[in-house]
Amino acid sequence: MLSTALAIAFGLVTAALALTLWRLLRGPDKPDRILALDTLYVNSIALLVLLGIHLDSALYFEAAILIAMMGFVGTVALCKYLLRGDIIE
């Protein structure tokens, strides 16, 4: 039962990654692209967590935490640049 649920979840998260990548490339303006980039790293975190469950390894969960921290900092930096035009004051 778990293997079936994991296979379905892998397919759905991969489809979400593909659609988010499409929005990142086709986004009409900069805020849409920043939001797509934020969603892209959240989906990659979900994919890593699913892979960690599938392979029964804690290493993937640590990698997901690192991506979450770096993604948050990146999103904040991009939003600050978009609002002010400068990251470091």
Side-chain angles (χ1 to χ4, degrees), residues 3 6 16 20 25 28 33 36 42 57-58 67-69 71 74 76:
S3 62
L6 281 173
T20 304
L25 297 174
R33 291 183 180 177
V42 169
S57 175
I67 289 175
M69 288 189 304
V76 168

Tab-separated table of all heavy atoms in Angstrom, residues 3 6 16 20 25 28 33 36 42 57-58 67-69 71 74 76:
chain	number	residue	atom	x	y	z
A	3	SER	N	3.943	1.537	-1.094
A	3	SER	CA	4.659	1.692	-2.365
A	3	SER	C	3.754	2.292	-3.446
A	3	SER	O	4.215	3.090	-4.269
A	3	SER	CB	5.216	0.350	-2.827
A	3	SER	OG	4.174	-0.566	-3.045
A	6	LEU	N	3.440	6.009	-2.605
A	6	LEU	CA	4.678	6.701	-2.954
A	6	LEU	C	4.809	6.900	-4.458
A	6	LEU	O	5.252	7.955	-4.918
A	6	LEU	CB	5.888	5.938	-2.411
A	6	LEU	CG	6.185	6.111	-0.933
A	6	LEU	CD1	7.301	5.177	-0.499
A	6	LEU	CD2	6.535	7.538	-0.616
A	16	ALA	N	3.987	18.619	-10.583
A	16	ALA	CA	3.996	19.959	-9.990
A	16	ALA	C	5.313	20.666	-10.257
A	16	ALA	O	5.330	21.873	-10.535
A	16	ALA	CB	3.740	19.864	-8.488
A	20	THR	N	5.619	24.111	-12.366
A	20	THR	CA	6.251	25.258	-11.725
A	20	THR	C	7.432	25.754	-12.548
A	20	THR	O	7.649	26.963	-12.666
A	20	THR	CB	6.708	24.883	-10.303
A	20	THR	OG1	5.581	24.408	-9.589
A	20	THR	CG2	7.306	26.063	-9.591
A	25	LEU	N	9.697	29.885	-16.259
A	25	LEU	CA	10.211	30.307	-17.560
A	25	LEU	C	9.261	31.252	-18.287
A	25	LEU	O	9.710	32.135	-19.019
A	25	LEU	CB	10.495	29.076	-18.431
A	25	LEU	CG	11.573	28.140	-17.893
A	25	LEU	CD1	11.658	26.904	-18.768
A	25	LEU	CD2	12.904	28.839	-17.791
A	28	PRO	N	4.886	36.168	-16.466
A	28	PRO	CA	4.745	37.459	-17.131
A	28	PRO	C	5.557	38.576	-16.477
A	28	PRO	O	6.013	39.476	-17.147
A	28	PRO	CB	3.249	37.757	-17.046
A	28	PRO	CG	2.726	36.887	-15.968
A	28	PRO	CD	3.643	35.723	-15.864
A	33	ARG	N	7.709	35.120	-11.174
A	33	ARG	CA	8.882	34.260	-11.273
A	33	ARG	C	9.485	33.975	-9.903
A	33	ARG	O	9.941	32.865	-9.648
A	33	ARG	CB	9.907	34.890	-12.200
A	33	ARG	CG	9.410	34.866	-13.621
A	33	ARG	CD	10.396	35.396	-14.580
A	33	ARG	NE	9.799	35.312	-15.921
A	33	ARG	CZ	10.361	35.747	-16.996
A	33	ARG	NH1	11.542	36.321	-16.934
A	33	ARG	NH2	9.767	35.623	-18.159
A	36	ALA	N	7.247	31.429	-8.364
A	36	ALA	CA	7.487	30.125	-8.988
A	36	ALA	C	8.777	29.503	-8.465
A	36	ALA	O	8.841	28.287	-8.235
A	36	ALA	CB	7.546	30.270	-10.505
A	42	VAL	N	10.015	24.367	-2.749
A	42	VAL	CA	9.114	23.634	-1.851
A	42	VAL	C	8.773	22.268	-2.446
A	42	VAL	O	8.752	21.250	-1.743
A	42	VAL	CB	7.841	24.458	-1.563
A	42	VAL	CG1	6.792	23.621	-0.866
A	42	VAL	CG2	8.183	25.676	-0.738
A	57	SER	N	16.127	6.430	4.357
A	57	SER	CA	17.393	7.072	4.697
A	57	SER	C	17.129	8.456	5.272
A	57	SER	O	16.333	9.226	4.736
A	57	SER	CB	18.265	7.189	3.442
A	57	SER	OG	19.436	7.903	3.733
A	58	ALA	N	17.824	8.773	6.355
A	58	ALA	CA	17.656	10.078	7.000
A	58	ALA	C	18.446	11.169	6.298
A	58	ALA	O	18.225	12.358	6.539
A	58	ALA	CB	18.085	9.991	8.456
A	67	ILE	N	17.878	22.676	1.957
A	67	ILE	CA	17.239	23.361	0.832
A	67	ILE	C	16.191	24.345	1.342
A	67	ILE	O	16.041	25.446	0.794
A	67	ILE	CB	16.620	22.339	-0.146
A	67	ILE	CG1	17.733	21.613	-0.891
A	67	ILE	CG2	15.681	23.009	-1.132
A	67	ILE	CD1	17.241	20.515	-1.794
A	68	ALA	N	15.479	23.983	2.392
A	68	ALA	CA	14.470	24.893	2.955
A	68	ALA	C	15.112	26.168	3.483
A	68	ALA	O	14.621	27.274	3.241
A	68	ALA	CB	13.690	24.188	4.068
A	69	MET	N	16.231	26.022	4.199
A	69	MET	CA	16.898	27.215	4.736
A	69	MET	C	17.459	28.088	3.620
A	69	MET	O	17.288	29.316	3.628
A	69	MET	CB	18.021	26.796	5.692
A	69	MET	CG	17.513	26.256	6.996
A	69	MET	SD	18.792	25.998	8.233
A	69	MET	CE	19.928	24.920	7.421
A	71	GLY	N	16.529	28.167	0.487
A	71	GLY	CA	15.425	28.694	-0.298
A	71	GLY	C	14.765	29.882	0.359
A	71	GLY	O	14.405	30.857	-0.304
A	74	GLY	N	17.105	32.831	-0.018
A	74	GLY	CA	17.082	33.280	-1.406
A	74	GLY	C	15.821	34.043	-1.758
A	74	GLY	O	15.868	35.059	-2.454
A	76	VAL	N	13.869	35.700	0.344
A	76	VAL	CA	13.905	36.992	1.036
A	76	VAL	C	14.825	37.959	0.302
A	76	VAL	O	14.491	39.137	0.121
A	76	VAL	CB	14.328	36.806	2.511
A	76	VAL	CG1	14.656	38.135	3.159
A	76	VAL	CG2	13.244	36.091	3.276
